[in-house]
Amino acid sequence: MQTHCYLQSFKILYQDDCLVAIHKPAGLLVHRSPIDKHETQFAVQLTRDEINRPVFPVHRLDKATSGLLLFALDSDSARCLGEQFQNHSLQKTYLALTRGWSLPAGNIDKPLLYKKDKYGDKDKQQPTEPQDALTEYTCLGQTTLDKTLGKFEQQRYSLLELRPKTGRKHQIRRHLNGIAHPIIGDVKYGDRHHNHLFNDWRGYHRLYLAATSLTFKHPSTNESITIQVPLQNDFVETLTALNLDCAMLNHYQNP
């Protein structure tokens, strides 16, 4: 993804004296990484330059995931928000386009092995036993696509709203793959045949996973606050092409 694409989709969603929330485009790193040394644009840098003050990351989104990213504006707020993420006391909501027709709703309660970060965890002792992991989901819509793949002339897809109750690395992606509903565009845990189908059909080389809302306690007032973010244009256009732009998705559309 080119720099101008980042700048086009990057947006400040909310700001006060303690925090700032942005829309992170798919393909944009949160901060510098030795894994992607060629990258020159980062969410931390773009946000700092936009508001002209330092920002403190309190959580991460995968490079391939688009949507809501929260930063603190001082160390005390960063500590408060970081504790909420660590304790899983806030509510995160995601939207994902997946292969197959899912059940109307359900829980994925499956422990996951710790995923070691090649650089950040190299000197740390990490858990060796699987860790508890729970993801709730609701199916917002189902659709079919009249394109041949293998022996099937028609493909099935579901649009899921997901609420992870724990914060394991790649939890949603791993959980959905584990129930045979991998996310479209997931090159690590997904189905390469469906990924290629969508790349050829839509021309968007992206993961169809977006962080759409976050509910947490404000670090200064302790009041509950909810921030929502609309979907990136390419995500919306793909849902429209699949006839999944239903009324319940109105609050996910771009303003």
Side-chain angles (χ1 to χ4, degrees):
M1 185 180 292
Q2 301 298 316
T3 299
H4 72 272
C5 295
Y6 292 152
L7 297 178
Q8 184 179 22
S9 300
F10 173 87
K11 184 177 182 179
I12 302 294
L13 302 168
Y14 175 89
Q15 183 181 356
D16 61 26
D17 292 336
C18 298
L19 56 93
V20 58
I22 70 163
H23 175 266
K24 186 194 83 66
L28 179 65
L29 285 168
V30 175
H31 45 62
R32 292 184 185 275
S33 168
I35 302 175
D36 295 279
K37 295 180 179 179
H38 65 284
E39 295 289 354
T40 59
Q41 295 286 341
F42 313 94
V44 170
Q45 170 202 6
L46 292 174
T47 306
R48 180 197 64 203
D49 293 347
E50 181 73 16
I51 67 175
N52 197 31
R53 61 183 296 184
V55 298
F56 297 74
V58 294
H59 69 126
R60 293 187 295 181
L61 288 180
D62 293 340
K63 177 182 178 181
T65 303
S66 62
L68 178 60
L69 185 63
L70 190 65
F71 295 106
L73 297 180
D74 59 79
S75 57
D76 289 339
S77 297
R79 188 178 306 108
C80 176
L81 292 169
E83 288 175 354
Q84 293 182 59
F85 278 98
Q86 186 173 1
N87 298 333
H88 315 302
S89 59
L90 39 67
Q91 176 64 65
K92 297 178 286 186
T93 305
Y94 291 77
L95 217 62
L97 178 63
T98 70
R99 187 193 72 182
W101 283 0
S102 78
L103 296 173
N107 296 324
I108 309 172
D109 188 355
K110 181 181 180 181
L112 296 171
L113 285 170
Y114 183 84
K115 284 283 186 178
K116 186 175 182 179
D117 185 282
K118 181 178 179 181
Y119 296 93
D121 294 339
K122 63 180 180 179
D123 298 322
K124 299 178 182 177
Q125 186 174 358
Q126 302 299 343
T128 57
E129 296 297 321
Q131 299 173 292
D132 291 341
L134 175 63
T135 304
E136 297 178 353
Y137 70 89
T138 302
C139 183
L140 300 182
Q142 298 175 332
T143 191
T144 56
L145 181 62
D146 293 328
K147 287 189 176 292
T148 300
L149 196 59
K151 63 181 180 179
F152 299 103
E153 296 181 355
Q154 191 177 66
Q155 312 307 316
R156 293 180 173 185
Y157 301 101
S158 295
L159 182 65
L160 302 184
E161 185 179 72
L162 301 124
R163 297 167 296 281
K165 299 302 181 181
T166 49
R168 310 308 177 196
K169 187 174 183 180
H170 299 162
Q171 176 175 317
I172 290 175
R173 296 163 63 183
R174 295 163 71 186
H175 266 174
L176 288 177
N177 180 56
I179 63 169
H181 293 299
I183 302 173
I184 302 303
D186 193 336
V187 298
K188 188 174 182 67
Y189 304 103
D191 184 306
R192 63 185 179 89
H193 302 293
H194 287 268
N195 292 348
H196 289 319
L197 186 155
F198 270 76
N199 287 343
D200 294 341
W201 175 47
R202 301 301 304 154
Y204 302 135
H205 298 271
R206 66 154 297 161
L207 172 70
Y208 284 93
L209 175 66
T212 55
S213 74
L214 188 63
T215 299
F216 55 95
K217 295 292 185 181
H218 192 279
S220 176
T221 66
N222 203 39
E223 294 180 355
S224 180
I225 180 173
T226 298
I227 301 176
Q228 293 185 323
V229 56
L231 291 174
Q232 199 166 307
N233 285 336
D234 52 7
F235 205 137
V236 173
E237 290 168 4
T238 294
L239 295 183
T240 300
L242 288 168
N243 295 315
L244 281 170
D245 55 335
C246 47
M248 69 180 69
L249 295 178
N250 285 342
H251 65 290
Y252 290 117
Q253 306 298 313
N254 283 313

